[in-house]
């Protein structure tokens, strides 16, 4: 079977771009087979732009403020993404809601990452909300963007424990470390053609069977023996 061509990515950012960096690093380690065609930021001051430049990746600033409506802004995004031949749009800390203009142009070809186990804690300040609810686990989710806030078919999730004494910063840092693992992985699965959207769920082809013994407890009860892997 002929090998697939590397998937052409357009990465949308607004800020630090640590997820962008994780994708660049995964490409460098050859864990991810893809090509970043362009990085687009809606803020000229986004640190992520420097990361792109440092790695010789084309970048563009498209400031949302210059556009009268969300739709006009999205039309400019779509035009630039097409100009660079982008196949998959990767939102990485992009702080704008996308309109139907973008979602129709790249139907089921827009991914996003969120710092919670969706559908829990959508929207801003997900880590703060997790702490306020006293959940024992939270995490991060990569999903396909649909209309509606953080409400699309889920691709990959990572579970992160909430530790006693955590504040928003320490929890965010623990979650971010997992974001950096799962985002390149989700893109790789897409590039391998292993993601099939069925309604609001995603089927992953040839996914290794899960392991029931990976069930997690937090806090860990002294009375419940640690679940062992079957021999
Ligand atoms: C991440 O926490 C991501 O989950 C959220 O925005 C943050 C982006 O961080 N969507 P960075 O710009 O990739 O460092």
């Amino acid at each position: 079977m002929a090998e697939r061509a590397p998937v052409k990515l357009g990465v949308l950012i607004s800020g630090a771009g640590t997820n962008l960096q994780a994708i660049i690093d995964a490409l460098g380690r050859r864990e991810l087979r893809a090509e970043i065609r362009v990085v687009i930021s809606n803020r000229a001051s986004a640190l992520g732009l420097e990361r792109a430049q440092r790695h010789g990746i084309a970048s563009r600033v498209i400031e949302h403020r210059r556009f009268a409506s969300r739709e006009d802004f999205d039309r400019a995004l779509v035009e630039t993404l097409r100009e660079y031949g982008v196949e998959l749009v990767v939102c990485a800390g992009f702080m704008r809601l996308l309109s139907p203009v973008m979602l129709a142009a790249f139907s089921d070809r827009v991914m996003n990452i969120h710092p919670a186990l969706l559908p829990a804690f959508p929207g801003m300040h997900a880590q703060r909300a997790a702490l306020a609810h006293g959940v024992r686990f939270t995490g991060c989710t990569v999903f396909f963007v649909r209309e509606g806030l953080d409400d699309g078919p889920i691709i990959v999730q990572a579970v992160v424990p909430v530790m006693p004494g955590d504040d928003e910063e320490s929890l965010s840092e623990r979650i971010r470390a997992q974001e950096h693992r799962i985002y390149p992985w989700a893109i790789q699965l897409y590039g391998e053609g292993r993601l099939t959207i069925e309604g609001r769920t995603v089927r992953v082809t040839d996914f290794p069977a899960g392991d029931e013994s990976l069930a997690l407890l937090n806090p860990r009860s002294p009375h419940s023996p640690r679940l062992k892997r079957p021999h």
Side-chain angles (χ1 to χ4, degrees):
M1 205 170 67
E3 209 178 70
R4 283 168 177 267
V7 58
K8 299 181 179 78
L9 309 177
V11 183
L12 307 186
I13 62 166
S14 300
T18 65
N19 278 286
L20 166 65
Q21 188 66 54
I23 293 164
I24 293 171
D25 293 346
L27 289 167
R29 291 194 303 269
R30 297 183 189 282
E31 288 168 12
L32 172 60
R33 201 161 166 276
E35 186 190 341
I36 304 178
R37 298 298 292 245
V38 65
V39 171
I40 304 175
S41 174
N42 65 315
R43 290 201 186 117
S45 60
L47 209 76
L49 288 169
E50 289 172 29
R51 299 179 193 273
Q53 277 145 24
R54 209 179 304 143
H55 292 274
I57 299 167
S59 61
R60 290 282 192 91
V61 175
I62 304 180
E63 283 176 322
H64 60 277
R65 275 185 195 117
R66 289 198 296 111
F67 297 87
S69 68
R70 204 177 281 285
E71 287 72 19
D72 285 350
F73 172 60
D74 278 11
R75 267 185 277 277
L77 288 179
V78 168
E79 197 181 306
T80 305
L81 291 165
R82 287 199 172 133
E83 188 186 316
Y84 283 91
V86 167
E87 294 165 327
L88 177 67
V89 181
V90 174
C91 300
F94 183 62
M95 305 304 281
R96 304 296 303 166
L97 271 181
L98 295 173
S99 76
V101 168
M102 169 69 107
L103 299 179
F106 287 89
S107 176
D108 288 339
R109 291 189 293 136
V110 183
M111 280 187 191
N112 194 10
I113 189 156
H114 182 72
L117 291 174
L118 292 172
F121 312 131
M124 297 283 280
H125 309 302
Q127 301 92 331
R128 195 185 300 172
L131 288 169
H133 281 78
V135 294
R136 301 306 189 209
F137 293 101
T138 181
C140 44
T141 304
V142 181
F143 61 101
F144 284 111
V145 178
R146 290 263 171 93
E147 270 186 75
L149 181 64
D150 298 327
D151 186 33
I154 291 171
I155 305 165
V156 185
Q157 292 185 306
V159 178
V160 172
V162 180
M163 309 301 269
D166 259 342
D167 57 18
E168 221 177 315
E169 199 183 317
S170 61
L171 181 58
S172 300
E173 200 177 313
R174 193 172 310 118
I175 294 171
R176 205 171 299 120
Q178 299 309 314
E179 291 184 16
H180 297 168
R181 294 175 64 197
I182 67 171
Y183 217 170
W185 169 233
I187 298 166
Q188 176 64 15
L189 288 174
Y190 180 93
E192 290 174 3
R194 288 166 68 187
L195 303 179
T196 311
I197 300 180
E198 293 172 348
R200 65 160 302 122
T201 67
V202 176
R203 186 164 51 80
V204 184
T205 313
D206 298 330
F207 200 69
D211 181 346
E212 287 169 356
S213 72
L214 291 178
L216 302 169
L217 292 185
N218 183 26
R220 187 178 287 154
S221 159
H223 304 297
S224 51
R226 284 192 73 173
L227 292 163
K228 293 213 177 74
R229 282 168 183 273
H231 293 293

